[in-house]
Amino acid sequence: MTWEPIDLSGITDEVAAGIDGRPEPALLTREDGAGLLYPGMVNGLHGESGSGKTWLALHACAQEMRAGHAVAYIDHEGDPRSIVARLMDLQVTADQIVRHFRYSQPETPFSDGAGLLLTGLQDEEVRLVVIDSTGEGLALAGAKPNADDEVARWFREVPRRIADHGPSVLLLDHSAKAAGGELWPIGSQRKRAAVNGAQYYIETLSPFGRDRPGAAKLVCAKDRHGRYIVGQQVATLHVTPGDRLRITLAAPEPTERADHGGFRPTMLMERISSLLEREGALSSARIEQSVTGRREVVRRALTLLVDEGNVTRSHGARGALVHTLSRPFTTSPRTRGEVINGDLDWPVTAGARSNVEEPPNHMD
């Protein structure tokens, strides 16, 4: 790209003819066929440790490999044995892994091997590139996670450059620590602008482990192209362990949809409920200031809480509307104080590993 103006005549002709060119998410598909990741763009997935980020990323890889497409996994945190074992857990065959899975564990900055990697992505028509994780990738490049200019430079030089060669890029990251900041990963706000596809937050609904089924929800934090709205639950991840591990990505339950057919901002509704439970009665202005999210979506969430009887609304001093919690709202079946099991590296199908005992793996 240069500073010279772009000739838009061809684009205007296509738009006028009804070919608007707006992209659609086509990878990491739900059971109903709807996709979550945009091809040729940078997408993100973040959540707490143990929330299932790596499992979901490998589920996306497995979908592509079973369809005969090549994928690449740039691993800054794990090890190849663990990743291969998980793929076999997901019923990906050894032949499919050898033919379609490109795994790398770089020890030098991207610039040292960029040419070879990018050429390989094009030659093999790689559809998906997972980078696990953003924080470790930044560290390898010597970039500070809170330095805006260094973060922006890394996004330009690594994930955006890879996406420009065709693949969908999926970045795995950790959630911000600050209360109410779950919708964005930890570190510089430059990460928000750098994602030109979609960003999702994964939250555990019920803990899952070696012998315990569980679930997590995916919430939209950003969709550059408007397929999903901020705060909308876009999918539910179900994990069922056993001799044959099963992972499914389902469309949101009907309870996540408003009666008029739109989507209910249940994440913000739960956040407002928790705020009122913690702080007591609050005005509309105080709630909008305290809850992270677009103001119009926060207002909609508050209105739904009032309409459904979770919150009562009354007039206070100087005409202010005061809101009081009458019944807590929650989307999570887990009880308060329950610890989420972060050790998700359960044994694979018989024969997939050797009998040599490995050290514990702390990946998601």
Side-chain angles (χ1 to χ4, degrees):
M1 296 292 289
T2 69
W3 287 95
E4 298 177 6
I6 298 172
D7 182 3
L8 300 178
S9 57
I11 297 176
T12 55
D13 290 343
E14 290 181 349
V15 173
I19 307 173
D20 59 19
R22 283 179 289 190
E24 287 290 331
L27 293 86
L28 185 55
T29 55
R30 302 185 313 209
E31 289 189 309
D32 63 356
L36 299 180
L37 305 181
Y38 288 90
M41 295 180 184
V42 177
N43 306 270
L45 174 68
H46 68 282
E48 296 180 0
S49 179
S51 58
K53 298 185 295 292
T54 301
W55 279 114
L56 187 59
L58 291 175
H59 178 61
C61 291
Q63 287 182 334
E64 293 301 316
M65 285 190 284
R66 282 195 287 265
H69 302 145
V71 301
Y73 202 98
I74 300 174
D75 196 355
H76 295 295
E77 295 193 355
D79 64 271
R81 185 182 183 85
S82 174
I83 294 298
V84 168
R86 292 183 184 216
L87 288 171
M88 288 186 170
D89 267 345
L90 295 172
Q91 288 83 59
V92 181
T93 68
D95 181 64
Q96 288 171 331
I97 293 172
V98 171
R99 292 175 59 191
H100 302 308
F101 193 67
R102 301 295 173 258
Y103 179 89
S104 60
Q105 205 169 37
E107 298 179 349
T108 58
F110 181 71
S111 56
D112 293 349
L116 184 61
L117 174 65
L118 295 175
T119 299
L121 295 178
Q122 287 186 311
D123 291 346
E124 299 182 40
E125 298 182 346
V126 171
R127 284 255 300 173
L128 172 66
V129 176
V130 177
I131 300 179
D132 187 1
S133 65
T134 300
E136 294 300 321
L138 288 168
L140 187 62
K144 301 180 183 64
N146 290 304
D148 285 353
D149 56 341
E150 295 179 15
V151 170
R153 185 181 308 112
W154 181 82
F155 267 87
R156 287 195 306 269
E157 295 177 351
V158 185
R160 289 292 286 267
R161 191 174 173 190
I162 292 174
D164 286 345
H165 283 71
S168 172
V169 175
L170 176 60
L171 300 172
L172 305 188
D173 209 342
H174 297 281
S175 296
K177 299 291 185 182
E182 297 91 347
L183 275 186
W184 279 101
I186 192 169
S188 169
Q189 293 188 3
R190 288 281 186 168
K191 292 180 179 180
R192 305 187 184 194
V195 171
N196 61 348
Q199 177 81 32
Y200 301 104
Y201 167 59
I202 183 170
E203 178 186 1
T204 303
L205 292 176
S206 55
F208 44 94
R210 289 183 177 91
D211 303 308
R212 181 178 183 176
K217 65 179 179 180
L218 268 69
V219 178
C220 177
K222 174 184 179 178
D223 186 343
R224 184 73 175 270
H225 309 285
R227 178 64 177 81
Y228 304 106
I229 63 174
V230 175
Q232 172 189 338
Q233 181 175 338
V234 299
T236 304
L237 175 71
H238 296 280
V239 181
T240 306
D243 291 338
R244 291 178 61 85
L245 172 69
R246 178 172 170 77
I247 288 183
T248 58
L249 196 61
E253 295 294 328
T255 54
E256 294 296 328
R257 302 175 183 268
D259 293 338
H260 56 74
F263 282 88
R264 291 153 49 84
T266 53
M267 186 177 188
L268 293 180
M269 292 169 71
E270 188 171 26
R271 196 173 295 164
I272 293 171
S273 175
S274 298
L275 174 68
L276 293 175
E277 186 174 14
R278 184 174 63 251
E279 302 289 339
L282 295 173
S283 67
S284 302
R286 177 67 183 279
I287 292 172
E288 291 175 12
Q289 291 171 357
S290 303
V291 176
T292 302
R294 289 190 300 174
R295 180 167 298 180
E296 62 271 21
V297 182
V298 174
R299 288 176 179 172
R300 179 182 177 194
L302 181 57
T303 298
L304 286 171
L305 288 171
V306 173
D307 292 344
E308 296 173 9
N310 296 91
V311 172
T312 59
R313 180 179 284 166
S314 60
H315 291 283
R318 300 180 181 178
L321 291 176
V322 178
H323 299 83
T324 305
L325 185 68
S326 56
R327 185 178 71 250
F329 176 90
T330 180
T331 62
S332 173
R334 68 174 182 242
T335 58
R336 292 182 182 276
E338 185 173 7
V339 178
I340 297 175
N341 182 4
D343 181 10
L344 303 180
D345 192 18
W346 54 72
V348 299
T349 307
R353 287 186 186 172
S354 72
N355 294 323
V356 178
E357 185 176 351
E358 296 180 78
N361 188 297
H362 299 291
M363 293 175 63
D364 285 14

